[in-house]
Amino acid sequence: MKNLFTIITLLLTFCSIGVNAQERLIDRVVATVGSGIILQSDIDNQYMQYLANGGTPDDDFKCTALQQLIMTKLLAQQAVIDSVEVTESEVDDQLNARMREMVRRAGSQERLEGFLKRSLLQYKEEMRPILSEQLKANKLQGTIVQKITITPQEVKRYFEALNQDSLPSFNTEVEIGEIVVNPVLTKEEKNVFREKAEGYRKQVIDGTDFGTVARFYSEDGSAPYGGELGFATRDAYVKEFSAMAFKLKEGEVSPVFETQFGFHFLQVLERRGEEVNVRHVLIKTKPTAASLERTKAKIDSIYDKVSSGKLPFHTAASLYSDNKETKFNGGMVINEQSQSRTTLIPVDMLEKELFVAIDPLQPGEYSKPFQFTDRTGQVAYKFNYLKTRIPPHKASLEQDFAKIQEAAQEDKTRRKLSEWFEKKTKATFVHVSDDFQQCEELKVWLTPTDNDIAAK
């Protein structure tokens, strides 16, 4: 089962595209997994998406795609036995997120529908059962590995078992802190954006279709869908949005209200128990020249206190920083690509603007405050603190324990999953059609008879 190790993690990124009823009429079964089947169209549509994302023609990809589908089927079937369920809102949330991302990549809803050769509504309905099965599989996989832990002794044994002559080398790594100050608008400055939202709301009240107004004017990612967000519970939104969404009756349009994102108004489309489906229009607030000047003056004052030693950096971060992800961590930035939440970050992972700011610093020094744009498009000011710089080096337990621990945990997880799949294949009927029998990835799924056929 060794060749299973390298493809287990592909389940996490597996994305299948549905097929319409006409295509299914000419489909054929390429694999049987227990009580389920996998169709040729499932493989073909994954291959189409692979090419659309820039992949080069490669027939071997279809072998990998079928491997992923077989593994998902096994997990999903066991999920049914174990009564693992997914809610309609979970499926809706995933569907809406995927649709938004696909529209973003395509450039517009119309271009995406042209590529799919069907409407987004039709495509979503085709995707629903496929995505539901995938979510069940992911949930079951989580229960299989959730109790896996790794001890320091296991980390040491894992490291010592590696080929010491071919240990990985690590690039320069840094530990950096940040203090971020966002612009704060006065009531008068905010009123410009509130009045804009009020004007769009008036259009809706006067009879213009809500979805049309959202598509043309909303500054939220849901705009291509007429502002519709899908079914969600109260905790899916910030408190001001939830309070408004769950207060109104179906069909009602809210007054304009403010959240951290800007000014909204919404309409309740449907209530379903503790879930609600709404559509909304968002007008984002944007900093004025005056608010940026005030922000620059504030962060310059904080910088002076910290750099002169009057105020410790970690204290200033907790008191003044507007970045909620770092202010309660002493201002230190977490490596988001590391499961161990380490603060060590390879310099090649840093955004160019941040690298330029900290590159000339020595450990213990601070960059000058500068204006930047965060991932949400918010303009703000910040300055950085360089705590540590570790030069390039070969992996060692002393310097890289967190990274080695993460690798050892992943290795243990892969082995656990491989054991599970090996046990399931012995108890589940899996048959692969003749034209996929030569795929190396699929040899582990073949029955003895199938293996004899593949050998010939």
Side-chain angles (χ1 to χ4, degrees):
M1 301 296 288
K2 287 185 178 178
N3 54 343
L4 268 179
F5 291 178
T6 57
I7 46 80
I8 294 289
T9 53
L10 288 174
L11 279 170
L12 301 177
T13 55
F14 160 61
C15 178
S16 178
I17 296 183
V19 293
N20 63 29
Q22 182 179 1
E23 289 169 327
R24 287 188 183 277
L25 289 175
I26 59 172
D27 250 347
R28 67 187 184 92
V29 175
V30 296
T32 303
V33 183
S35 60
I37 60 171
I38 297 170
L39 301 172
Q40 179 66 49
S41 58
D42 297 326
I43 308 295
D44 292 342
N45 279 299
Q46 281 209 51
Y47 187 58
M48 180 181 69
Q49 185 178 9
Y50 162 76
L51 294 175
N53 288 335
T56 55
D58 181 7
D59 285 340
D60 289 342
F61 176 86
K62 296 182 180 181
C63 296
T64 302
L66 182 52
Q67 169 78 299
Q68 296 168 3
L69 288 166
I70 291 172
M71 295 169 72
T72 298
K73 285 285 184 190
L74 285 168
L75 285 163
Q77 288 174 11
Q78 186 62 44
V80 172
I81 295 171
D82 293 352
S83 299
V84 175
E85 297 292 338
V86 294
T87 65
E88 286 293 319
S89 64
E90 288 176 295
V91 178
D92 283 332
D93 289 346
Q94 285 287 327
L95 276 173
N96 290 330
R98 290 189 184 196
M99 295 303 102
R100 285 194 290 270
E101 177 60 19
M102 291 176 72
V103 169
R104 186 189 68 80
R105 290 194 177 203
S108 71
Q109 180 175 335
E110 291 72 23
R111 289 183 64 185
L112 178 61
E113 289 180 335
F115 175 75
L116 295 173
K117 298 179 181 174
R118 67 203 79 177
S119 69
L120 280 189
L121 182 60
Q122 180 185 6
Y123 178 73
K124 285 175 71 173
E125 289 310 305
E126 292 166 0
M127 280 284 290
R128 186 175 297 278
I130 297 169
L131 187 55
S132 178
E133 182 176 71
Q134 183 185 340
L135 291 176
K136 287 179 183 177
N138 289 345
K139 275 194 175 183
L140 181 69
Q141 179 175 288
T143 64
I144 294 169
V145 302
Q146 66 181 354
K147 294 183 180 179
I148 293 178
T149 58
I150 196 88
T151 66
Q153 292 76 14
E154 287 177 306
V155 175
K156 186 172 184 291
R157 285 198 297 270
Y158 172 81
F159 181 75
E160 290 173 346
L162 297 174
N163 186 338
Q164 300 299 301
D165 294 329
S166 57
L167 291 175
S169 294
F170 295 115
N171 195 359
T172 300
E173 296 177 305
V174 291
E175 287 184 293
I176 51 177
E178 64 179 14
I179 292 178
V180 177
V181 178
N182 295 330
V184 177
L185 274 63
T186 64
K187 184 177 180 180
E188 291 74 20
E189 289 169 334
K190 284 184 179 181
N191 275 342
V192 174
F193 304 98
R194 178 186 287 276
E195 288 171 4
K196 193 175 179 182
E198 293 282 8
Y200 295 139
R201 180 182 181 275
K202 186 175 186 303
Q203 290 185 31
V204 172
I205 298 301
D206 290 345
T208 304
D209 176 67
F210 194 113
T212 301
V213 172
R215 286 188 185 93
F216 277 99
Y217 304 115
S218 181
E219 296 171 355
D220 182 66
S222 63
Y225 312 102
E228 186 172 346
L229 298 175
F231 282 97
T233 57
R234 290 177 183 272
D235 57 4
Y237 305 119
V238 294
K239 62 181 181 180
E240 300 91 348
F241 197 98
S242 287
M244 191 66 70
F246 283 87
K247 179 172 69 174
L248 302 180
K249 298 176 182 178
E250 288 185 11
E252 272 193 283
V253 176
S254 76
V256 171
F257 61 97
E258 185 181 4
T259 73
Q260 66 195 62
F261 303 106
F263 290 98
H264 312 246
F265 61 94
L266 62 82
Q267 182 182 41
V268 174
L269 296 175
E270 186 179 352
R271 295 288 294 269
R272 189 169 64 191
E274 293 302 311
E275 298 177 334
V276 65
N277 183 15
V278 303
R279 55 185 177 182
H280 78 133
V281 171
L282 167 65
I283 301 302
K284 295 180 178 179
T285 52
K286 300 173 181 65
T288 62
S291 69
L292 288 173
E293 286 181 13
R294 296 193 297 270
T295 307
K296 179 69 166 60
K298 181 177 179 180
I299 201 164
D300 283 344
S301 173
I302 299 168
Y303 173 80
D304 289 341
K305 292 177 182 178
V306 171
S307 60
S308 65
K310 295 178 181 177
L311 188 65
F313 178 85
H314 67 274
T315 303
S318 63
L319 289 174
Y320 302 118
S321 183
D322 290 324
N323 187 333
K324 295 178 181 178
E325 296 177 1
T326 60
K327 72 176 296 176
F328 300 115
N329 190 40
M332 300 306 296
V333 179
I334 299 295
N335 183 345
E336 294 180 351
Q337 295 189 15
S338 172
Q339 296 179 6
S340 60
R341 292 186 57 80
T342 178
T343 52
L344 284 171
I345 305 173
V347 292
D348 53 8
M349 281 177 51
L350 299 178
E351 296 175 356
K352 182 179 179 181
E353 192 176 39
L354 179 54
F355 176 80
V356 170
I358 62 102
D359 186 50
L361 303 180
Q362 296 298 316
E365 293 182 343
Y366 308 93
S367 72
K368 293 287 187 181
F370 61 95
Q371 187 182 116
F372 77 107
T373 303
D374 68 17
R375 296 173 187 174
T376 67
Q378 169 86 33
V379 176
Y381 277 90
K382 72 175 176 179
F383 68 91
N384 291 104
Y385 162 54
L386 178 63
K387 180 180 180 181
T388 309
R389 178 183 282 117
I390 300 176
H393 62 281
K394 279 267 191 182
S396 72
L397 275 175
E398 292 73 24
Q399 285 185 300
D400 307 297
F401 185 85
K403 289 191 284 290
I404 297 167
Q405 181 183 42
E406 194 171 317
Q409 177 91 18
E410 290 174 357
D411 180 70
K412 192 173 181 180
T413 299
R414 285 194 297 269
R415 292 179 183 278
K416 177 70 173 177
L417 284 169
S418 293
E419 290 171 4
W420 187 91
F421 279 112
E422 187 170 17
K423 187 181 297 183
K424 285 300 296 179
T425 53
K426 290 178 180 178
T428 306
F429 174 75
V430 178
H431 175 74
V432 178
S433 66
D434 291 350
D435 49 338
F436 281 93
Q437 301 250 340
Q438 300 305 317
C439 296
E440 286 298 322
E441 297 95 327
L442 301 175
K443 294 292 177 67
V444 293
W445 309 110
L446 302 183
T447 63
T449 303
D450 288 335
N451 274 308
D452 291 341
I453 296 171
K456 294 178 181 178

